[in-house]
Amino acid sequence: MSAKYIEKQRQRAPSARSLETKARILDAAEALFAERGFEGASIRDIATRAGVQVGLVHHHGGGKEELFFQTVARRADELARIRMQALEERRAHGSLTLRGILDCFIRPYVSLAETGGPGWMAYGRLVAHVSVDPRWRHIAAECFDPTAQLFIGEIAALYPQADPALLATGQIYSVSAMLAHLNSAWRVQALSQGGDLSGIDQLVEFCAAGIEAMVQSTRARP
């Protein structure tokens, strides 16, 4: 085995140290982008939070926009895989219902946010940033839209006469409700004078009832 071949292999495969450094950078970027938004999080602050030189952030993440993309994309595949697995398992046990489809979409992320560490909670805020800002349309299209459209397609199979725009709206409203469920416990406690948020089952029921009401309202129009 030649020295040249060995050197090429080293160039192709990042070292464990390099992978660990990049993970720290992405963790720091995730936390700061979630806290401050894209504009509020500087490369220098990310480097400080990660405990690395600014040059390493550029080396591993590229420019700020590319780093933002990498930070959002990092968890997208894992979340999509878990959601799809939940959907296929539910399908294997019987026909899909609206509540079942929504449960397979909502429960995986809520469970990860509640038990998977602070990164998954911060990730929800990144999703919110991407969802409300049209400049991140390309990120949404690559990271979120394929899974979202698949789930919308499953719902459309239950309501074949429904306007696709209505079902897409229901999907967006459901994501908003999911993120509010995770981030607004303090508001629920304040408004209810100490009450707790409902569980995932109630969240799914709320989203399903909303979509059903939207579908029914269009059917009732003359």
Side-chain angles (χ1 to χ4, degrees), residues 115-129:
T115 64
W120 278 106
M121 180 63 83
Y123 188 68
R125 298 190 183 98
L126 291 185
V127 173
H129 288 314

Side-chain angles (χ1 to χ4, degrees), residues 120-144:
W120 278 106
M121 180 63 83
Y123 188 68
R125 298 190 183 98
L126 291 185
V127 173
H129 288 314
V130 171
S131 298
V132 301
D133 193 335
R135 69 177 150 165
W136 306 126
R137 186 188 307 269
H138 63 289
I139 298 180
E142 182 166 341
C143 296
F144 306 136

Side-chain angles (χ1 to χ4, degrees), residues 7 32 45 59 63 67 76 103 118 124 132 167 170 181 216:
E7 180 61 27
L32 288 172
D45 289 340
H59 172 73
L67 178 61
D103 190 276
V132 301
L167 298 181
H181 171 83
Q216 292 300 326

Side-chain angles (χ1 to χ4, degrees), residues 30-139:
E30 184 174 62
L32 288 172
F33 283 137
E35 290 171 11
R36 306 177 187 177
F38 179 78
E39 283 78 14
S42 70
I43 292 292
R44 186 170 298 278
D45 289 340
I46 291 169
T48 299
R49 178 74 67 95
V52 302
Q53 298 296 318
V54 170
L56 276 176
V57 177
H58 287 294
H59 172 73
H60 287 287
K64 189 175 175 182
E65 286 198 13
E66 174 60 22
L67 178 61
F68 185 71
F69 168 76
Q70 288 188 37
T71 304
V72 175
R74 179 172 61 153
R75 299 186 191 274
D77 286 346
E78 181 180 358
L79 181 56
R81 177 184 60 77
I82 296 171
R83 282 170 164 164
M84 289 300 303
Q85 182 178 349
L87 189 67
E88 291 310 313
E89 288 177 355
R90 188 171 291 263
R91 193 196 310 275
H93 287 86
S95 59
L96 294 174
T97 65
L98 175 60
R99 283 158 182 77
I101 294 167
L102 290 173
D103 190 276
C104 292
F105 186 87
I106 291 170
R107 190 176 298 273
Y109 177 67
V110 173
S111 297
L112 285 168
E114 292 177 341
T115 64
W120 278 106
M121 180 63 83
Y123 188 68
R125 298 190 183 98
L126 291 185
V127 173
H129 288 314
V130 171
S131 298
V132 301
D133 193 335
R135 69 177 150 165
W136 306 126
R137 186 188 307 269
H138 63 289
I139 298 180

